[in-house]
Amino acid sequence: MHLELVIVDGSQAGRRFPLGRDRVTFGRSPGANFSFPQDSYMSGMHLSVQFALSCVIVLDLRSSNGTFLNGQRISQAMAVPGDVIKIGNLTMRLAVAAAPRPEPVEPVVSSDPVTLSSPLPTSVATTLEMPAVTDPVVERSEEPALEEIEGEEPVLEPVPEAATKLIVAESADKVHQSVLDWLFDTKLPLYCLLDPGAHTMIPSLLAAASDAKESLYDGEADSMLARFAPYVIHLAPESDLLRALIENGWGQGWTCFFASEAPLEELGKHFRKFFMVQLEGGKEVYFRFYDPRVLRGFLPAGSADELAAFFGPVQAWMIEAKNSAMMLKITNPSGGLRTVTIPLAVTSSRIRKQPAS
């Protein structure tokens, strides 16, 4: 989800301030990210806004005339789309912004070694200092993506480079059906991590779904966080929710799928450990690991100990690649992290047994 603040009145009505993953400040001072030097009712550094959980944390920076959220003066609060923030003579509404148009991407399937531009983190908490949406080049394992069939080594039929390029032009229906084919073929129980704030459609899909789910927020039920905390959901092959997530949200960063033999309650307990983490210095922040764009960057940068702790009861992650005509299957065997890039034109029906010699 992309958020922005929009000025709703005055001579600058309609001006937009896009909100990324980094904290931004408003004030009269030229040192603020967004400066309003002519507003005498605004303090030099008046307001801080920080993205979190598809909402924003609004923090008044000890201003003289205060910060108001929906008409109430606050020192710190969480704002959701539709809320109105007033500082000085400036009135802004928090809104969902259109996603930036992606640049055309040439699909690449390469077995070349990966070089990461970010240093390896020293703890799970410090990984939050990485850019929240990072897509390093992903290593393609030469091993097939499916488990062995009847004890024999499966073989993934070769995909010519030209065919890999052509799958970008495949219809969305074919890509979605291919994703479902791969997920249905998973031998272990299938789960997903779903953020209700990733799209306005998701809360209604969750309300209509009968799938067992566990919130990663275990505080007061009427808390603001309870409305927007992610869920871990057990998906059956016949799940209407699973089909809806693929048909409407594949390639949009809605959800991460994973396979695990652990019960739902245990998985909820496991992932809560990473929902809110503490940075050096004691600052607590939300870790959006359940966003596939974040997970694609976090996993390759993790140390062996971090990966072992984060995978825990998870046997494999199945998430959208940066190019949505591909899927990533990520495992963490004893030899280290392994990522298989699956062109979605290659469905599970193209896995065949090794011919007898």
Side-chain angles (χ1 to χ4, degrees), residues 312-351:
V314 174
Q315 273 72 42
W317 292 95
M318 287 81 70
I319 62 175
E320 61 196 48
K322 187 173 183 179
N323 181 338
S324 60
M326 298 182 182
M327 181 167 67
L328 305 179
K329 181 176 181 181
I330 307 175
T331 55
N332 189 43
S334 56
L337 194 72
R338 175 176 297 170
T339 299
V340 177
T341 303
I342 303 170
L344 292 174
V346 184
T347 63
S348 58
S349 62
R350 295 186 62 179
I351 297 293

Side-chain angles (χ1 to χ4, degrees), residues 172-173 176 180 198-202 204-205 240-255 257 320:
D173 288 345
H176 296 161
L180 289 169
H199 193 275
T200 54
M201 185 186 298
I202 296 177
S204 60
L205 291 176
D240 291 333
L241 177 61
L242 172 58
R243 290 187 176 275
L245 292 176
I246 297 302
E247 292 171 2
N248 295 283
W250 181 258
Q252 306 301 315
W254 281 20
T255 186
F257 298 96
E320 61 196 48

Side-chain angles (χ1 to χ4, degrees), residues 48-306:
S48 164
V49 177
Q50 172 74 57
F51 189 96
L53 281 175
S54 303
C55 314
V56 296
I57 296 174
V58 181
L59 176 64
D60 181 81
L61 300 177
R62 298 183 180 179
S63 65
S64 300
N65 294 312
T67 295
F68 296 83
L69 177 64
N70 298 326
Q72 301 231 343
R73 186 165 182 166
I74 56 96
S75 56
Q76 179 173 333
M78 182 168 286
V80 298
D83 285 349
V84 174
I85 300 168
K86 182 174 176 58
I87 57 172
N89 290 315
L90 185 67
T91 302
M92 302 175 290
R93 185 183 301 276
L94 183 63
V96 177
R101 185 183 296 275
E103 295 293 329
V105 177
E106 184 85 1
V108 177
V109 180
S110 172
S111 57
D112 293 338
V114 177
T115 301
L116 294 175
S117 58
S118 300
L120 291 179
T122 56
S123 68
V124 170
T126 58
T127 60
L128 297 175
E129 298 171 4
M130 300 167 49
V133 180
T134 306
D135 291 311
V137 177
V138 179
E139 178 182 1
R140 179 179 183 270
S141 169
E142 294 302 320
E143 298 197 18
L146 289 187
E147 306 295 333
E148 294 187 1
I149 302 175
E150 298 182 2
E152 297 180 307
E153 184 178 356
V155 176
L156 181 60
E157 293 183 354
V159 183
E161 182 179 355
T164 303
K165 295 179 180 178
L166 286 174
I167 61 175
V168 177
E170 290 280 4
S171 72
D173 288 345
K174 289 184 179 179
V175 170
H176 296 161
Q177 186 56 53
S178 185
V179 176
L180 289 169
D181 287 345
W182 283 99
L183 294 178
F184 288 159
D185 197 70
T186 302
K187 303 295 189 297
L188 299 175
L190 180 67
Y191 294 86
C192 76
L193 287 166
L194 183 60
D195 176 6
H199 193 275
T200 54
M201 185 186 298
I202 296 177
S204 60
L205 291 176
L206 277 171
S210 58
D211 306 76
K213 60 183 182 292
E214 182 94 0
S215 174
L216 297 192
Y217 179 71
D218 58 357
E220 298 177 6
D222 59 350
S223 165
M224 181 73 72
L225 278 175
R227 293 169 49 194
F228 292 95
Y231 287 89
V232 56
I233 304 172
H234 183 205
L235 299 164
E238 66 276 7
S239 168
D240 291 333
L241 177 61
L242 172 58
R243 290 187 176 275
L245 292 176
I246 297 302
E247 292 171 2
N248 295 283
W250 181 258
Q252 306 301 315
W254 281 20
T255 186
C256 293
F257 298 96
F258 65 93
S260 176
E261 293 181 301
L264 181 62
E265 184 177 353
E266 179 182 332
L267 291 168
K269 183 178 179 180
H270 171 71
F271 286 119
R272 283 189 197 101
K273 293 184 293 186
F274 307 99
F275 179 45
M276 178 177 283
V277 295
Q278 193 173 78
L279 297 178
E280 294 179 7
K283 180 182 178 183
E284 288 190 329
V285 294
Y286 301 103
F287 182 19
R288 295 178 55 81
F289 63 88
Y290 43 84
D291 185 325
R293 296 163 295 185
V294 175
L295 200 62
R296 290 197 301 258
F298 166 66
L299 291 179
S303 68
D305 289 343
E306 289 167 351

